[in-house]
Amino acid sequence: MKKILIISSLISLEVLAQSNSVGYLYGNVSDVDGGAVNNCNISVTNDDVGSQRTLAVNDDGSFRVASLSVGRYTVNADCDGYNAGTLEGLRVNVGSGTNCLLYTSPSPRDG
């Protein structure tokens, strides 16, 4: 019985250590006047290993990307009718969030 209890405790400690080794990015996409831009996809790239995740922003232009490994990141906003917005060198730390405020301007119309 004691062996099972010890193994279970070790597994629990390992899971706890893994859950505490991540952070997250959050923020908003706005136009140059401060209005929310909600027709965007956000791509988050880990600059250290090259992995990438993509998600759509919420109706109010906000986003949150959870469970990111600690490291440096680049965030790109690809928005319909707007120029791309990019933030580079963002740091994700253990157990905390990094705020990303992306600003974009309307792209010129073809005509």
Side-chain angles (χ1 to χ4, degrees):
M1 185 71 167
K2 289 181 182 180
K3 290 181 182 179
I4 293 173
L5 180 59
I6 292 170
I7 291 171
S8 175
S9 296
L10 291 175
I11 291 171
S12 296
L13 288 174
E14 182 179 342
V15 169
L16 180 62
Q18 289 175 357
S19 68
N20 288 330
S21 62
V22 296
Y24 59 95
L25 294 170
Y26 67 98
N28 289 30
V29 180
S30 300
D31 62 22
V32 292
D33 297 321
V37 179
N38 62 6
N39 53 340
C40 300
N41 286 318
I42 299 293
S43 62
V44 176
T45 304
N46 182 314
D47 297 333
D48 301 323
V49 297
S51 61
Q52 185 178 59
R53 289 171 52 186
T54 302
L55 68 145
V57 300
N58 297 319
D59 289 340
D60 63 356
S62 67
F63 63 92
R64 179 181 166 110
V65 187
S67 300
L68 294 172
S69 299
V70 171
R72 292 177 305 114
Y73 286 83
T74 297
V75 177
N76 290 301
D78 181 21
C79 308
D80 291 339
Y82 288 83
N83 293 311
T86 302
L87 291 173
E88 297 177 328
L90 297 168
R91 187 88 189 141
V92 170
N93 296 307
V94 174
S96 65
T98 301
N99 194 1
C100 311
L101 300 176
L102 288 150
Y103 294 95
T104 186
S105 58
S107 60
R109 296 180 188 245
D110 293 331

